[in-house]
């Protein structure tokens, strides 16, 4: 009977997979019919649409992640540092031809991303841990709970090969729970039951406290992420963000918010560069990269300035107007020389650079 149930489950699973594939092609027809009926004009892309629109870019990011891993095989380039490497490598012609003016903070393959950021050591620990958990199925393959948990966890693992769902807690949390259902015979701590209960209660309380603190910090920083029209309000916001960018839970976001208040000029250059340099070494966006390039040029760091504007031009081809408009504001020769890099990238994409 158990074998019949397993066979029946396999049939249902196969049929479900087939229906999912079929619906990728049928869903747009249903969507068009409903929108025609409701006279609406909303877009609802399917998985096939997304694959067709940026599938090639995913292949590019996977190749970049592999290249970064080969350059830093043992410990990786550093946690969260893939985005900067992606922008640096996108200046290579083979990669730049695949255009999509967005920052890929993740390679859209969790294994490759772990290898690139944490090397064989970090990725090996994660992979070895999951393999150890799945090894429990060798003796629990008749346990329906363990097998069902395995199917759910496997979906997340397969999804992680083309995306990064486990970087979001609402998907990571259930994944960890499924792993616990697969293998519940973990390492037993040599502590009395009462001590374990108190320890887990204290840990849960600490997590709740961090969650509450995070929520309060979010409510504090979110309204001031972008500058206002009032200079006095902006001055107060900058003072608040200066404090928040040194907070361990908000250091990156505080610096990122401050970068939105920065206007490239020859004033307060040391302060501005102190914000932009570490920010662009982690998540380089076109506006921040352009501001830093101008400031580096004004500070005499010409090589770094050319490097930054060139990387920005190839990684963000939809921002050419912004690049030109920013550089036009500065008559200094060191800044005007940056235009050559932007012109070169403009020609690479088959366009004629605008006249000065």
């Amino acid at each position: 009977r158990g074998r019949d149930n397993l066979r029946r489950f396999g049939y249902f699973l196969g049929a479900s997979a087939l229906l999912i594939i079929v619906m990728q092609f049928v869903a747009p027809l249903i969507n068009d019919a409903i929108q025609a009926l409701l006279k609406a004009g909303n877009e609802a892309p399917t998985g096939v649409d997304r694959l067709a629109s940026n599938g090639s870019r995913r292949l590019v990011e996977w190749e970049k992640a592999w290249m970064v891993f080969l350059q830093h095989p043992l410990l990786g380039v550093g946690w969260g540092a893939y985005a900067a490497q992606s922008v640096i490598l996108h200046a290579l012609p083979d990669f730049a031809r695949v255009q999509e003016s967005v920052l890929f903070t993740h390679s859209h393959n969790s294994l490759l991303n772990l290898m690139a950021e944490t090397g064989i050591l970090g990725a090996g620990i994660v992979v070895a841990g999951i393999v150890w958990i799945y090894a429990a199925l060798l003796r629990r393959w008749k346990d329906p709970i363990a097998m069902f948990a395995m199917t759910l966890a496997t979906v997340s693992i397969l999804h992680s090969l083309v995306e990064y769902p486990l970087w979001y807690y609402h998907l990571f949390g259930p994944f960890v729970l499924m792993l616990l259902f697969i293998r519940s015979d973990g390492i037993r701590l040599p502590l009395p039951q009462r001590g374990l209960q108190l320890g887990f209660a204290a840990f849960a309380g600490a997590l709740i406290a961090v969650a509450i603190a995070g929520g309060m910090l979010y409510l504090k920083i979110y309204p001031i992420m972008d500058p206002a029209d009032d200079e006095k309000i902006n001055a107060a916001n900058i003072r608040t963000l200066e404090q928040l960018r040194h907070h361990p839970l908000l250091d990156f976001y505080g610096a990122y918010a401050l970068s939105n208040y920065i206007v490239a000029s020859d004033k307060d250059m040391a302060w501005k560069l102190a914000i932009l340099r570490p920010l662009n070494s982690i998540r380089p966006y076109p506006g921040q990269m352009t501001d830093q390039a101008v400031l580096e040029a004004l500070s005499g760091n010409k090589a770094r300035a050319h490097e930054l504007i060139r990387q920005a031009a190839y990684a963000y081809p939809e921002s050419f107007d912004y690049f030109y408009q920013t550089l036009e504001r500065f008559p200094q020769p060191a800044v005007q020389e940056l235009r050559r890099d932007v012109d070169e990238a403009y020609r690479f994409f088959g366009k004629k650079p605008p006249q000065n």
Side-chain angles (χ1 to χ4, degrees):
R1 182 179 178 182
R3 187 170 297 175
D4 292 339
N5 289 337
L6 185 61
R7 186 181 294 110
R8 190 179 300 110
F9 176 74
Y11 290 149
F12 282 124
L13 191 62
S16 299
L18 181 61
L19 285 173
I20 290 173
I21 295 174
V22 170
M23 284 303 295
Q24 297 300 313
F25 299 94
V26 175
L29 302 177
I30 299 175
N31 180 62
D32 291 342
I34 294 175
Q35 297 214 49
L37 182 63
L38 299 177
K39 296 181 179 181
N42 300 320
E43 293 185 4
T46 65
V48 173
D49 294 330
R50 293 191 63 191
L51 187 63
S53 64
N54 63 7
S56 57
R57 181 60 190 263
R58 273 173 166 73
L59 296 176
V60 165
E61 296 304 320
W62 296 347
E63 186 174 351
K64 289 181 190 175
W66 179 249
M67 291 173 64
V68 174
F69 167 69
L70 293 179
Q71 293 169 2
H72 309 272
L74 186 59
L75 298 176
V77 73
W79 183 259
Y82 172 76
Q85 298 298 311
S86 174
V87 170
I88 291 171
L89 291 173
H90 210 75
L92 298 176
D94 288 343
F95 293 151
R97 290 189 182 94
V98 182
Q99 301 180 42
E100 191 168 355
S101 291
V102 296
L103 178 64
F104 275 68
T105 59
H106 195 284
S107 67
H108 288 70
N109 181 303
S110 295
L111 177 59
L112 286 173
N113 208 83
L114 279 172
M115 293 168 63
E117 292 188 349
T118 65
I120 196 67
L121 184 61
I125 292 174
V126 174
V127 172
I130 293 176
V131 170
W132 175 76
I133 291 173
Y134 268 64
L137 296 172
L138 295 175
R139 57 180 175 76
R140 298 190 67 190
W141 63 273
K142 291 184 179 181
D143 186 336
I145 295 177
M147 293 303 294
F148 182 66
M150 180 272 294
T151 60
L152 296 180
T154 301
V155 169
S156 290
I157 292 175
L158 294 176
H159 189 193
S160 296
L161 297 179
V162 294
E163 269 287 355
Y164 51 108
L166 301 182
W167 263 245
Y168 299 93
Y169 181 75
H170 60 277
L171 294 171
F172 178 72
F175 176 73
V176 172
L177 186 61
M178 292 307 104
L179 294 181
L180 291 174
F181 279 124
I182 294 174
R183 183 158 200 158
S184 58
D185 60 338
I187 299 174
R188 302 293 181 181
L189 298 176
L191 295 173
Q193 186 67 23
R194 183 66 175 174
L196 287 174
Q197 291 175 347
L198 290 175
F200 285 130
F203 182 68
L207 288 179
I208 294 173
V210 170
I212 294 173
M216 295 174 65
L217 288 170
Y218 175 82
L219 294 176
K220 188 174 183 179
I221 193 173
Y222 180 76
I224 59 175
M225 287 293 291
D226 295 306
D229 296 329
D230 191 313
E231 292 186 4
K232 292 183 179 180
I233 294 177
N234 287 338
N237 291 346
I238 290 174
R239 288 194 294 270
T240 301
L241 291 171
E242 266 294 331
Q243 297 174 352
L244 294 178
R245 81 181 178 104
H246 299 291
H247 194 287
L249 295 179
L250 278 182
D251 51 354
F252 168 79
Y253 299 99
Y256 177 77
L258 270 175
S259 73
N260 293 329
Y261 289 78
I262 288 177
V263 177
S265 68
D266 57 0
K267 296 180 180 179
D268 302 316
M269 289 197 295
W271 175 75
K272 294 173 181 178
L273 286 171
I275 295 170
L276 292 173
R277 282 171 177 166
L279 191 65
N280 285 329
S281 69
I282 301 174
R283 293 191 179 180
Y285 290 98
Q288 286 79 353
M289 293 182 76
T290 307
D291 287 341
Q292 185 184 344
V294 170
L295 293 171
E296 298 285 7
L298 294 174
S299 301
N301 302 321
K302 293 184 178 181
R304 181 56 177 155
H306 284 279
E307 186 180 49
L308 281 165
I309 200 66
R310 186 173 185 276
Q311 291 170 1
Y314 282 99
Y316 302 102
E318 292 182 6
S319 298
F320 275 112
D321 290 342
Y322 176 79
F323 299 146
Y324 282 119
Q325 290 169 7
T326 301
L327 298 180
E328 285 174 0
R329 292 175 25 225
F330 298 88
Q332 293 89 335
V335 177
Q336 287 303 305
E337 289 175 5
L338 301 179
R339 186 184 170 99
R340 294 202 311 267
D341 300 290
V342 181
D343 288 345
E344 176 188 318
Y346 208 66
R347 294 189 189 95
F348 175 85
F349 293 111
K351 302 175 182 180
K352 184 179 179 180
Q355 299 295 322
N356 287 326

